[in-house]
Amino acid sequence: MSAVIELPREQVDSSPSGLLAMAVQRGADPVQLGQLLDLKERYDREEARKAYAEAMTAVQNGAPVIAKDALNKQTASHYAKLEAINAGLVPVYTRHGLSLSFSQGEAEKPEHIRIQCQITHKLGHTENRYVDLPLDMTGIAGTVNKTAIHATGSTYSYGRRYLTCMIFNVS
């Protein structure tokens, strides 16, 4: 026999975690506990997603202007090195609970590399982005100017630079 315990309204934790704890204390059956656990997991995922969106907005609002600190002599154009992009953005996005993790994926086109980035918020929400880039084997004149290893490293660097800027909407 179970008794109903009346609690003052201000003492009831009506969050999914609170409801789950109350159900356990009251000896709820496994089906009810499973339903409450599902509710809690959905609630936690939604809270993490909202925190991720809030953090992305905060990062974009607080991102510094990234100086173009390098010169491409072949094209006579300036660009920001990966080091400059990271120096400007890592402190901002980590302060808001975000982290980036890069890896290589399977590109659909031959002679291309897929650079993948997993963006994770400290509450657990994760989003994945990628860019497929051709191997950087040649210079502006179209002649091969790198070994395959150097071309791969250069493509990784380009991919990480472009993808990081795309993720945080940095010009």
Side-chain angles (χ1 to χ4, degrees):
M1 178 180 213
S2 63
V4 175
I5 300 171
E6 293 288 329
L7 295 174
R9 199 71 165 139
E10 61 276 355
Q11 291 181 359
V12 175
D13 179 359
S14 61
S15 71
S17 293
L19 294 175
L20 185 59
M22 257 192 297
V24 168
Q25 288 175 347
R26 294 181 178 180
D29 67 69
V31 172
Q32 291 172 321
L33 291 175
Q35 291 170 337
L36 284 169
L37 186 57
D38 288 344
L39 171 68
K40 180 189 177 320
E41 288 172 352
R42 285 193 314 271
Y43 177 84
D44 289 348
R45 276 193 306 273
E46 180 60 15
E47 290 301 300
R49 187 197 63 76
K50 290 190 293 189
Y52 172 91
E54 186 177 307
M56 288 298 285
T57 300
V59 171
Q60 290 181 28
N61 187 46
V65 173
I66 307 295
K68 294 180 178 181
D69 63 336
L71 172 67
N72 181 329
K73 293 175 187 171
Q74 294 181 9
T75 61
S77 62
H78 290 86
Y79 66 96
K81 289 182 183 177
L82 180 58
E83 294 87 347
I85 293 167
N86 282 340
L89 289 177
V90 170
V92 178
Y93 68 70
T94 56
R95 182 171 53 247
H96 294 288
L98 295 170
S99 65
L100 303 183
S101 178
F102 291 92
S103 61
Q104 181 181 343
E106 201 62 39
E108 295 176 12
K109 294 181 182 178
E111 302 299 313
H112 280 63
I113 293 176
R114 175 168 289 177
I115 308 299
Q116 301 176 145
C117 183
Q118 186 175 64
I119 311 136
T120 303
H121 187 269
K122 65 183 177 183
L123 293 185
H125 183 78
T126 297
E127 296 203 3
N128 297 296
R129 300 288 182 265
Y130 70 88
V131 63
D132 290 346
L133 298 172
L135 277 171
D136 181 31
M137 295 291 295
T138 62
I140 195 166
T143 56
V144 173
N145 64 355
K146 295 177 191 75
T147 66
I149 291 171
H150 288 108
T152 302
S154 177
T155 306
Y156 286 156
S157 182
Y158 274 112
R160 288 181 60 201
R161 283 179 29 228
Y162 290 135
L163 201 48
T164 300
C165 289
M166 289 170 65
I167 288 165
F168 296 114
N169 197 29
V170 173
S171 300

